[in-house]
Amino acid sequence: MQNKYAIYFIASVIATGAHPLVSHGQQTPPAKPVGSTVVRLSEFIIPPQPIALIDMRLMPDGQVQYQTMMPIAGRVATVDDAAKQRGTGALPAGVCLYTATVDRQGQPGVVTSSVVGQRDRRIKIAEGMPLEWAVWNINSKDGPSRLPYGGGYERMPEPALPASSVKVSFAASGKGFNYATYSLYPVYNKLTRSFDSTSFQYRNQREELTLLRQENMAKLIRYIPVEGDTRRSAGRVIQLAPNRFEGVATHYVEDDKNASLRAVSFLTFDEAGNLLTDQRVNFQYNRKLLYRVPVYDPSGKVVGTFNVFDSGGGKKETRDPQDNRFAVVVTDEKGAIWKQFDWTNGEGSQLAVMPIYMSRRGNELLAYINNQQKLLKPVEENWLFDATGKAALLNSMPYSALLEKSTIVGMINSGNRVGWYNHTPTQFVDAFTDANGDVWVLKQRETEGPIVETTTAASPVPGPAKGIIGFANKLNAIAGQASPSLPNNQVVTEIGTNYGDLFAMQFDKDMKLKHQTVIAMSPSSEQVRFKRINRAAGVDYVFANSVNTHLRFRNGELTVEQLMPVDGIRPGAVEVDNFVVDEAAGKVYVLSMQPKKLVEGKLSVYSLD
């Protein structure tokens, strides 16, 4: 649950290129709703356990439906079974699911409530008898003593997953420097979200799958994945489409130590592990992959990759005699080679050609890059690559001018003012082209940090513990209940990426930067989720962060505002969206909790106009 003193300072600000508004820590009022409704989040006046939102959706008839869950003590019982509680302080043994609707006029609709949990096998119940849940740890005046029984934990709702819940990397058999034994295969890192009946929470887990491993190894003998920043980024795989992933590998040729530097393969796989394409590219000189980024069309769709290869070293005759010449390979949306050419820039430094954003328009390629070959005088450059691969420098801007073109909204960069306008490194979020031809690119700040992932046993088996805890575990095993002991965890920690502030970058049709707005976002190990709404008047974004940031793009200007009420807090985990968008009506519905009224929420309605 989010702290109610989270970032409240994101509010309305007009971002234009005239004079930057620098406002570190500025607090301004959030957006004003056009309506709001006080709603209940539970049937209980005083909830015995914390309440969390687990689902929110817009129904076909325009009603907003939301569902909450709350751990609850008690047991399954028949109608004539008193099921009296023995002792005090019973632990939760089930989950109360509360579902309600609100119509477009703000009137509450249908409410249903039931409990899911495992039946106590010690209680003999005849087949076909109607069942209820006898509620414990609650006074009659504070809530119902009986609730409908909805079945076992398999009836818990399936949580939604991010649009991109699969990450792919390359791996190879073999060890050490005996590359003759290497064979390549893809590794699928799949995100799953399941309910843990021990902690009464939904848990994120990642499962590594090696689909069609033997078949791919037989096809890709002596293929070696290019290195990534971590084990899980080997091959530097980029998702081209929902069911197409492209990565890069080199080749081992016996008695030719330069072979892996003279040729690479662009390999594409689908989600099932099938090898779709193997596009081999040969180089005149030794080369090593330096930069690899997606290529986008004007609407922000991935249409390929842009790959820059630097000198691969070796003896003089194997190296490119021109230090500032780079080999470039561009693929298309299916992984085929779209263009291959040489690009000359800078004075031989790898930092001279750092791509920030690549846009393909017809047979031309527009590039916005960061040239840091002179560390004290870096520049931002715009390049155009024509149909033949010929490069033309369109514009060069001193990096110091970036500060003049930047606007702050909120306490960005965790309060650190040093380099707050620096958009490298950042991860792409989305992009679009407005009615004026300006290109808007949204990116999120990246910082290095540890990633801790936990794999949890779904139903831990209680062992022969000592004393009272061991005795309680034995009773739970007999009753068919999950033990309240800690689950078996496998913790994996490695250096990874944290995501923070949002950058809204405005370019003209030639990819010349006009302005950028840096918007505060709380750090997270996952990229922020969002909903994009394309309207006749412009484009809107609503983000699933702690304050539901709303971006409104109209006539070349950006307005940033907060959709979370000042006195509101998120009703549950950040993995669950607490808003829905009614595109037909041009409205956003945001559900928040009231900090002093634990069972009341507020459904606020905001207009996109």
Side-chain angles (χ1 to χ4, degrees):
M1 183 178 296
Q2 296 295 310
N3 188 295
K4 69 176 181 178
Y5 298 107
I7 307 172
Y8 290 140
F9 38 72
I10 301 183
S12 297
V13 61
I14 299 294
T16 65
H19 298 285
L21 173 62
V22 180
S23 53
H24 289 278
Q26 172 177 293
Q27 297 189 28
T28 50
K32 184 178 181 180
V34 297
S36 63
T37 303
V38 175
V39 296
R40 291 193 63 83
L41 303 176
S42 172
E43 287 195 40
F44 295 87
I45 298 175
I46 300 178
Q49 295 287 334
I51 300 171
L53 179 71
I54 59 173
D55 184 68
M56 186 172 177
R57 64 186 62 191
L58 185 70
M59 306 303 286
D61 59 359
Q63 292 191 96
V64 174
Q65 176 181 290
Y66 62 92
Q67 186 175 50
T68 65
M69 75 172 188
M70 179 187 70
I72 193 167
R75 70 168 175 85
V76 177
T78 59
V79 176
D80 57 356
D81 180 2
K84 291 184 179 180
Q85 178 180 356
R86 295 182 180 180
T88 59
L91 294 171
V95 176
C96 180
L97 299 176
Y98 180 86
T99 306
T101 60
V102 179
D103 65 20
R104 285 179 170 173
Q105 286 71 46
Q107 297 300 312
V110 178
V111 174
T112 61
S113 189
S114 64
V115 175
V116 298
Q118 297 305 114
R119 287 176 52 177
D120 190 334
R121 293 200 300 263
R122 295 169 297 182
I123 308 300
K124 303 301 181 182
I125 299 175
E127 194 70 30
M129 290 287 290
L131 301 178
E132 296 179 330
W133 184 270
V135 181
W136 295 345
N137 292 353
I138 194 76
N139 294 324
S140 58
K141 64 180 181 179
D142 294 333
S145 60
R146 294 279 178 144
L147 286 169
Y149 177 60
Y153 288 120
E154 69 276 2
R155 303 295 298 273
M156 284 295 292
E158 293 187 5
L161 290 172
S164 180
S165 59
V166 178
K167 297 180 180 180
V168 181
S169 60
F170 288 170
S173 62
K175 293 182 179 180
F177 298 105
N178 189 12
Y179 298 119
T181 63
Y182 276 47
S183 290
L184 185 145
Y185 57 92
V187 177
Y188 294 79
N189 193 266
K190 186 176 182 180
L191 175 68
T192 61
R193 190 170 291 159
S194 59
F195 181 75
D196 176 22
S197 60
T198 302
S199 64
F200 298 103
Q201 295 179 352
Y202 283 101
R203 292 187 178 275
N204 292 339
Q205 301 175 6
R206 284 201 172 272
E207 181 182 8
E208 284 194 354
L209 304 173
T210 54
L211 307 175
L212 302 180
R213 175 173 176 170
Q214 297 302 322
E215 292 86 342
N216 286 310
M217 288 175 58
K219 296 175 184 177
L220 303 172
I221 298 174
R222 297 184 177 181
Y223 282 63
I224 307 169
V226 298
E227 293 182 355
D229 295 329
T230 67
R231 174 181 63 86
R232 292 182 177 174
S233 61
R236 297 168 73 170
V237 178
I238 291 175
Q239 187 170 2
L240 300 179
N243 196 25
R244 189 177 292 265
F245 302 86
E246 178 194 275
V248 186
T250 61
H251 299 268
Y252 171 77
V253 178
E254 196 169 2
D255 299 327
D256 186 355
K257 61 182 180 181
N258 292 313
S260 63
L261 300 173
R262 290 288 182 90
V264 297
S265 277
F266 290 86
L267 306 172
T268 60
F269 294 86
D270 64 13
E271 276 195 347
N274 295 296
L275 177 63
L276 302 178
T277 61
D278 179 354
Q279 299 286 319
R280 183 170 178 133
V281 174
N282 296 306
F283 301 114
Q284 181 180 359
Y285 302 104
N286 287 0
R287 295 292 183 187
K288 184 178 181 179
L289 182 61
L290 180 59
Y291 299 115
R292 173 169 162 78
V293 296
V295 177
Y296 303 92
D297 69 6
S299 69
K301 177 185 174 183
V302 177
V303 290
T305 62
F306 183 82
N307 304 271
V308 181
F309 294 83
D310 191 17
S311 174
K315 294 183 178 181
K316 182 177 180 180
E317 60 271 16
T318 64
R319 299 196 308 266
D320 190 336
Q322 192 170 334
D323 291 338
N324 65 343
R325 183 164 55 193
F326 302 88
V328 176
V329 178
V330 184
T331 64
D332 65 14
E333 56 269 34
K334 293 186 177 181
I337 305 304
W338 188 65
K339 290 186 189 302
Q340 181 179 357
F341 53 86
D342 290 334
W343 178 21
T344 302
N345 189 31
E347 300 172 359
S349 170
Q350 296 180 349
L351 300 178
V353 290
M354 186 183 301
I356 304 300
Y357 186 75
M358 310 298 300
S359 177
R360 196 181 86 190
R361 301 177 188 176
N363 286 325
E364 295 182 334
L365 195 64
L366 283 165
Y368 181 72
I369 75 162
N370 182 255
N371 185 339
Q372 297 186 30
Q373 67 174 355
K374 296 181 179 179
L375 295 179
L376 298 180
K377 293 184 179 180
V379 294
E380 307 278 292
E381 297 178 345
N382 309 84
W383 288 80
L384 173 66
F385 302 94
D386 65 15
T388 66
K390 182 180 179 181
L393 178 62
L394 301 180
N395 182 67
S396 180
M397 177 185 73
Y399 193 70
S400 57
L402 187 61
L403 175 61
E404 302 172 3
K405 294 177 178 288
S406 300
T407 297
I408 295 176
V409 180
M411 185 71 74
I412 56 91
N413 205 20
S414 301
N416 182 7
R417 298 194 183 197
V418 178
W420 61 266
Y421 53 91
N422 183 9
H423 52 67
T424 57
T426 49
Q427 182 68 30
F428 177 83
V429 175
D430 201 27
F432 69 94
T433 302
D434 66 17
N436 300 323
D438 286 350
V439 179
W440 293 86
V441 178
L442 304 181
K443 306 191 80 177
Q444 194 170 12
R445 193 192 302 275
E446 289 182 329
T447 57
E448 189 178 80
I451 290 179
V452 180
E453 294 187 353
T454 304
T455 302
T456 305
S459 181
V461 179
K466 296 181 180 180
I468 297 175
I469 296 299
F471 179 69
N473 284 347
K474 291 178 182 179
L475 290 180
N476 283 328
I478 296 173
Q481 304 281 7
S483 300
S485 55
L486 291 176
N488 299 323
N489 292 335
Q490 180 183 5
V491 180
V492 178
T493 304
E494 63 179 35
I495 297 300
T497 300
N498 287 325
Y499 300 95
D501 303 324
L502 188 71
F503 288 76
M505 307 175 72
Q506 182 182 11
F507 299 90
D508 67 11
K509 61 181 180 61
D510 295 324
M511 291 304 297
K512 180 181 179 181
L513 183 67
K514 299 174 68 173
H515 188 82
Q516 76 169 3
T517 305
V518 187
I519 304 158
M521 290 270 175
S522 299
S524 173
S525 61
E526 298 286 340
Q527 270 201 277
V528 66
R529 300 184 315 283
F530 64 91
K531 172 70 176 178
R532 169 175 159 181
I533 309 102
N534 298 316
R535 313 190 71 221
V539 176
D540 291 80
Y541 288 85
V542 180
F543 288 87
N545 60 328
S546 59
V547 294
N548 299 117
T549 302
H550 174 215
L551 308 186
R552 180 188 288 112
F553 297 87
R554 301 289 188 273
N555 300 317
E557 293 184 346
L558 165 63
T559 303
V560 184
E561 57 189 10
Q562 165 186 324
L563 300 187
M564 174 68 71
V566 171
D567 61 346
I569 56 178
R570 283 188 64 94
V574 294
E575 290 88 355
V576 180
D577 292 347
N578 66 318
F579 71 91
V580 293
V581 178
D582 187 343
E583 296 190 35
K587 293 180 179 179
V588 182
Y589 296 85
V590 177
L591 182 63
S592 59
M593 293 183 73
Q594 304 300 293
K596 296 182 180 180
K597 299 179 180 180
L598 300 178
V599 295
E600 284 190 0
K602 181 183 289 186
L603 186 66
S604 304
V605 188
Y606 300 89
S607 174
L608 294 175
D609 297 322

